[in-house]
């Protein structure tokens, strides 16, 4: 077991394609860190650099106390689980599991003891003599895991190990991997493009985009306090609703479409930076679960039309069309930036945004079906004096008295971004 | 499937019989065609072997004798006693084994480079390899002869070996490249992470997995080198340096053909190919990479 550290690591392919840019990341001893990001964001490259399968163009990677830049993969004492499992097809399960031990000149008896122990733990005991071709997908996956575990390496590297499994098995193996990692307390760097996987498994999650690390934090903090618009739109399923609004009235009011949301006084006073944004555009983010029904709510309201209700059993997703300008920025995850499609209900307005609401009572859906359904929701803004760093966010859970007064309880989030530059470009 | 059969109502007899019998008829037709093809293919071989066992006068009788009623091995002893038989055997064995071994080693290394490394001109190289196979052999004989004559390699086994290699290698490289491309690179990488050097991963993982490709290539090289006639006939003049195929042709003389010993000799020549094929064919059959990655 050892800690892993990237220190200002760059990876350049050829002369001009940069896959990883100035990556600095520390994985503590026994910690489970997930690298997550859309495909092509450099996360797998980063992992492969740790494994020694990819040369490091610039910077340093440490495993434990040792700088491993020029150490060959076999001497790094790490184990890797590949997306395709990469089991040796001409070897039996036993030989597959024992291969790493054999290469490290572990005695035959010790090999047998360790392989059999792992096989028992992973439920592979009665298929040790089979070939990989005779195993199911889940079994192959477990052999791949076993091959990594049996070595007792300093660190596990996992490259999307679950993406070849079907949905049900994936959820099952997700828990199993997390459980194994917790039991063994082995430093683990795990790569995935699936943010649900990242959120559920990692002690900490590192979000990457275009080779640049966006934010590293615990899943909850990442969800509550996304550092930028990309993280805000990437983390969370369904994703956060993002749209544009104008700050008015000394920073105490948000205007979008025909809605005017007054921000409570304590929010404004706590975020003096917001004042500077008066008359400017900001991005507003509302988590789907923070959208509430309007009945019994006398705070700020947003009017919208229900386009679609997706019933998921315990909860439902309601698509609500509201009048607002969608965010069009390159740093959003595609799904969020996607065109909302033709307007069905909001007329005479330039733009509309589909607001996704998440409700947990089926009863609310009946009411939601009314044509002029009103959604209250809380809004959120941000205000921060440090534009480039982490945004603070609020949502305002039900009783207005608590608005913004207790930051730790707030769950929705929003990020401020000045969008004037986009407008200037003619967006 | 079985559940579907249970659910489906039992078909009414007359409706079903007709298409089924037509289907059966069509199947029988195809089987007959296949049988005819088989006979056409196998008969010459059978005739060669059976003629080899017939005594001389029965071979040229007007009523063909389908089966040697009085088999004799006289033809075989005659053939073996022909001058230069053992020289020819030795030459053929040398040429064939050198060609097989050299082509395997060279083709494997070339294929490895083509499959695993990116270098300038790789695409062009692959196309050229395929392209040179399109040139007809007959058109090459004279230029090749002139070239080898200048290099003083005519009438030498080494010259013929080089020529055979030029014909075997393109195919071998092409085939092996396909097999190597079929081995996912994660397997090697995984082996390297597991504690192998690059060379170790190559020997322990890659080599066993391209085994079937090596076998297929070696069979091709063996048959090519063993059975080749034209080049050997043109380039090897001295009887002591001729290969078996050229030696076989010596049965046909101006005074006619000595069929019995010729067929016996031909049978003897065919034996090694058959034996070699039987030895290695079991290893070709299945794709070894099955199960390496998600299947």
């Amino acid at each position: 077991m050892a800690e892993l550290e990237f220190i200002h690591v760059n990876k350049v392919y050829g002369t001009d394609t940069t896959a990883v840019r100035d990556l600095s990341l520390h994985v503590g001893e026994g910690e489970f860190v997930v690298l997550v990001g859309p495909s092509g964001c450099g996360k797998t490259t980063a992992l492969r650099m740790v494994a020694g399968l990819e040369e490091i163009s610039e910077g340093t990677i440490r495993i434990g106390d040792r700088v491993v830049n020029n150490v060959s993969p076999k001497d790094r004492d790490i184990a890797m689980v590949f997306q395709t499992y990469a089991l040796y097809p001409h070897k039996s399960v036993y030989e597959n599991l024992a291969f790493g031990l054999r290469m490290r000149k572990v005695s035959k008896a010790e090999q047998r003891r360790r392989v059999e122990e792992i096989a028992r733990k992973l439920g592979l005991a009665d298929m040790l003599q089979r070939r990989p071709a005779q195993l199911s997908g889940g079994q192959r996956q477990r052999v791949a895991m076993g091959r990594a575990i049996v070595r007792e390496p300093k660190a596990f590297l996992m490259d999307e190990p679950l993406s070849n499994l079907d949905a049900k098995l994936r959820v099952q193996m997700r828990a199993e991997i997390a459980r194994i990692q917790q039991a063994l307390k082995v430093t683990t760097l795990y790569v995935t493009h699936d943010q649900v996987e990242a959120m559920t498994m990692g002690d900490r999650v590192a979000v990457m985009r275009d080779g640049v690390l966006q934010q590293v934090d615990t899943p909850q903090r990442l969800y509550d306090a996304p550092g930028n618009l990309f993280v805000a739109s990437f983390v969370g399923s369904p994703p956060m609703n993002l749209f544009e609004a104008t700050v008015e009235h000394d920073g105490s009011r948000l205007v979008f479409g025909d809605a005017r949301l007054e921000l409570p006084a304590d929010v404004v006073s706590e975020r003096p930076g917001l004042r500077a944004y008066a008359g400017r555009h900001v991005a507003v983010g509302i988590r789907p679960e923070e959208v509430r029904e309007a009945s019994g709510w006398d705070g700020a309201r947003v009017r919208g039309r229900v386009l679609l209700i997706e019933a998921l059993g315990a909860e439902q997703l309601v698509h609500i069309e509201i009048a607002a300008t969608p965010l069009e920025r390159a740093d959003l995850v595609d799904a969020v930036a996607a065109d909302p499609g033709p307007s069905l209900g909001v007329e005479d307005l330039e733009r509309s945004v589909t607001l996704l609401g998440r409700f947990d009572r089926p009863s609310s859906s009946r009411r939601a079906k009314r044509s002029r359904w009103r959604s209250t929701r809380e809004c959120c803004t941000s205000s921060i004096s440090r534009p480039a760093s982490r945004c603070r966010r609020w949502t305002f859970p039900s009783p207005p008295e608590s608005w913004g007064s207790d930051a730790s309880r707030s769950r929705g989030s929003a990020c401020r971004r000045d969008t004037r530059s986009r407008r200037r470009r003619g967006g | 499937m079985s559940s579907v059969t249970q659910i489906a109502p039992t078909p009414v007899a007359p409706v079903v019989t007709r298409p089924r019998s037509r289907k059966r008829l069509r199947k029988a037709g195809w089987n007959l065609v296949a049988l005819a093809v088989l006979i056409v293919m196998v008969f010459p071989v059978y005739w060669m072997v059976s003629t080899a066992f017939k005594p001389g006068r029965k071979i040229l009788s007007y009523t063909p004798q389908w089966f040697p009623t009085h088999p004799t091995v006289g033809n075989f002893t005659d053939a073996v006693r022909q001058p230069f038989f053992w020289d020819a055997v030795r030459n053929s064995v040398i040429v064939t084994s050198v060609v097989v071994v050299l082509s395997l080693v060279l083709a494997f290394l070339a294929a490895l480079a083509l499959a695993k490394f990116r270098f300038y001109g790789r695409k062009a190289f692959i196309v050229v390899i395929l392209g040179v196979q399109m040139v007809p052999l007959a058109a090459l004989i004279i230029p090749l002869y002139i070239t080898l004559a200048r290099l003083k390699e005519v009438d030498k086994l080494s010259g013929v070996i080089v020529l055979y290699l030029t014909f075997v290698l393109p195919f071998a490289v092409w085939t092996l490249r396909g097999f190597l491309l079929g081995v996912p690179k994660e397997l090697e990488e995984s082996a390297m992470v597991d504690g192998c050097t690059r060379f170790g991963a190559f020997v322990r993982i890659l080599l066993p997995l391209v085994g079937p490709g090596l076998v297929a290539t070696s069979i091709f090289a063996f048959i090519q080198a063993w059975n080749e006639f034209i080049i050997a006939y043109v380039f090897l003049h001295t009887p002591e340096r001729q290969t078996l195929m050229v030696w076989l042709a010596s049965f046909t003389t101006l005074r006619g053909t000595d069929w019995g010993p010729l067929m016996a000799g031909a049978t003897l020549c065919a034996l090694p190919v058959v034996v070699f094929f039987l030895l290695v064919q079991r290893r070709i059959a299945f794709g070894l990479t099955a199960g390496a990655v998600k299947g």
Side-chain angles (χ1 to χ4, degrees), chain A residues 167-370:
Chain A
K168 196 177 166 197
L169 205 53
R170 193 179 311 160
V171 174
Q172 198 181 321
M173 287 307 294
R174 196 166 78 193
E176 202 163 324
I177 290 179
R179 185 180 56 76
I180 290 170
Q181 198 274 341
Q182 270 166 24
L184 300 174
K185 283 271 164 254
V186 177
T187 313
T188 304
L189 191 57
Y190 184 106
V191 161
T192 180
H193 63 269
D194 180 352
Q195 56 94 13
V196 177
E197 222 168 277
M199 299 289 279
T200 50
M201 297 175 83
D203 292 334
R204 281 193 305 152
V205 177
V207 184
M208 285 184 78
R209 170 177 160 258
D210 293 343
V212 180
L213 185 63
Q214 305 288 309
Q215 190 177 0
V216 194
D217 219 324
T218 61
Q220 195 58 54
R221 297 252 293 278
L222 215 56
Y223 189 82
D224 291 341
N228 56 34
L229 272 178
F230 175 79
V231 177
S233 60
F234 187 75
V235 172
S237 173
M240 184 190 279
N241 299 294
L242 287 166
F243 51 90
E244 268 188 37
T246 312
V247 180
E248 277 185 1
H249 218 261
D250 281 353
S252 63
R253 184 192 288 160
L254 283 178
V255 178
F256 53 93
D258 54 357
R260 280 177 159 54
L261 292 184
E262 297 293 336
L263 299 179
D266 49 350
V267 172
V268 178
S269 62
E270 233 177 88
R271 304 289 184 281
L274 201 54
R275 196 176 290 265
Y277 282 85
R280 293 164 72 181
H281 293 283
V282 294
V284 177
I286 302 173
R287 289 280 179 206
E289 62 272 21
E290 301 296 340
V291 178
R292 305 274 162 77
E293 256 185 294
S295 51
W297 173 265
D298 48 3
R301 294 179 174 207
V302 175
R303 196 173 286 265
R305 165 167 282 192
V306 175
L307 299 180
L308 175 70
I309 298 171
E310 294 174 287
L312 302 174
E315 59 179 30
Q316 16 184 232
L317 296 180
V318 181
H319 298 245
I320 306 153
E321 186 179 47
I322 61 166
T325 310
L327 272 181
E328 286 165 9
R329 288 180 49 123
D331 55 358
L332 295 179
V333 173
D334 291 346
V336 175
D339 194 12
S343 165
L344 298 174
V346 180
E347 289 137 21
D348 305 328
L349 286 165
E350 236 185 311
R351 315 295 287 272
S352 71
V353 168
T354 304
L355 190 76
L356 211 57
R358 190 178 195 169
F359 299 87
D360 46 24
R361 292 279 165 220
S363 59
S364 64
S365 75
R366 282 195 292 277
R367 271 176 279 167
K369 276 175 187 157
R370 290 180 203 153

Side-chain angles (χ1 to χ4, degrees), chain B residues 7-20:
Chain B
I7 293 163
T10 322
V12 193
V15 182
V16 165
T17 7
R18 212 178 287 163
R20 193 176 281 174

Side-chain angles (χ1 to χ4, degrees), chain B residues 9-288:
Chain B
T10 322
V12 193
V15 182
V16 165
T17 7
R18 212 178 287 163
R20 193 176 281 174
S21 67
R22 199 178 295 160
K23 208 175 184 181
R24 205 173 285 170
L25 214 66
R26 194 184 299 160
K27 216 174 188 179
W30 281 116
N31 281 339
L32 275 181
V33 171
L35 212 63
V37 171
L38 180 74
I39 289 169
V40 169
M41 302 294 282
V42 169
F43 184 76
V45 179
Y46 169 72
W47 201 242
M48 173 184 83
V49 176
S50 73
T51 305
F53 284 102
K54 288 176 202 166
R57 58 200 150 74
K58 300 265 183 181
I59 293 172
L60 292 174
S61 69
Y62 281 103
T63 46
Q65 195 185 14
W66 297 108
F67 190 78
T69 40
H70 302 289
T72 165
V73 289
N75 289 329
F76 287 92
T77 46
D78 279 359
V80 172
R81 282 199 200 119
Q82 290 282 325
F84 307 118
F85 172 75
W86 292 110
D87 287 324
V89 169
R90 197 198 63 219
N91 292 338
S92 271
V93 167
I94 291 175
V95 168
T96 307
S97 49
V98 172
V99 166
V100 168
V101 171
L102 270 187
S103 68
L104 276 191
V105 173
L106 292 178
F108 187 67
L109 294 177
L112 199 63
L114 288 176
K116 300 280 171 191
F117 304 121
R118 323 210 138 262
F119 53 87
Y120 187 76
R122 189 178 68 136
K123 270 239 169 75
F125 191 79
I126 295 171
V127 173
V128 167
I129 282 185
L130 201 63
V132 292
Q133 287 184 289
M134 309 296 172
V135 184
L137 174 63
L140 288 175
I141 292 252
I142 292 171
L144 283 176
Y145 192 92
I146 295 171
T147 313
L148 281 204
R150 286 202 184 132
L151 295 170
K152 308 227 180 323
E153 282 292 323
V154 170
D155 203 19
K156 279 186 187 164
L157 290 185
S158 53
V160 173
I161 287 173
V162 168
L163 287 187
Y164 286 174
L165 277 178
T166 61
F167 293 107
V168 170
L169 274 178
F171 172 84
V173 169
W174 192 261
T175 314
L176 282 177
R177 177 175 167 268
F179 275 92
L180 283 168
L181 285 179
V183 179
K185 75 175 192 326
E186 285 93 347
L187 286 185
E188 276 171 276
E189 290 175 351
S190 171
M192 279 159 69
V193 172
D194 268 352
C196 285
T197 56
R198 185 175 271 276
F199 183 73
F202 168 80
V203 172
R204 287 169 199 277
I205 306 299
L206 209 53
L207 209 54
L209 290 177
V210 293
L214 292 174
V215 170
T217 312
S218 68
I219 289 176
F220 175 80
F222 188 96
I223 292 175
Q224 190 79 6
W226 185 265
N227 286 352
E228 209 289 325
F229 175 71
I230 296 176
I231 290 179
Y233 188 65
V234 173
F235 286 81
L236 302 171
H237 313 301
T238 334
E240 296 88 17
R241 296 204 183 115
Q242 285 172 344
T243 59
L244 268 176
M245 296 305 137
V246 185
W247 172 82
L248 268 187
S250 69
F251 284 96
T252 309
T253 61
L254 288 175
R255 285 175 288 116
T257 305
D258 195 357
W259 286 108
L262 172 60
M263 287 299 136
T267 308
L268 287 178
C269 290
L271 271 182
V273 179
V274 175
V275 169
F276 182 77
F277 185 76
L278 287 180
L279 279 180
V280 294
Q281 58 93 18
R282 254 200 285 167
R283 319 202 89 238
I284 318 183
F286 45 92
L288 256 179

Side-chain angles (χ1 to χ4, degrees), chain A residues 48 51 53 73-74 78-80 82 84-91 99-100 102-104 132-133 140 147 151 164, chain B residues 184-197 200 204-206 208-209 288-295:
Chain A
R48 289 169 57 87
L53 300 172
K74 74 184 176 72
I78 35 101
M80 186 156 170
F82 291 81
T84 54
Y85 315 145
L87 303 181
Y88 311 125
H90 57 300
K91 293 179 183 294
F99 186 76
R102 202 153 63 91
M103 290 299 104
R104 284 185 163 69
R140 286 179 202 177
R147 196 169 61 178
R151 290 244 319 272
N164 274 350
Chain B
K185 75 175 192 326
E186 285 93 347
L187 286 185
E188 276 171 276
E189 290 175 351
S190 171
M192 279 159 69
V193 172
D194 268 352
C196 285
T197 56
R204 287 169 199 277
I205 306 299
L206 209 53
L209 290 177
L288 256 179
T289 44
V293 298
K294 181 194 160 60

Side-chain angles (χ1 to χ4, degrees), chain A residues 133-147:
Chain A
Q134 296 162 292
L135 302 178
S136 71
Q139 288 164 343
R140 286 179 202 177
Q141 216 282 333
R142 269 182 295 182
V143 176
M145 280 296 295
R147 196 169 61 178

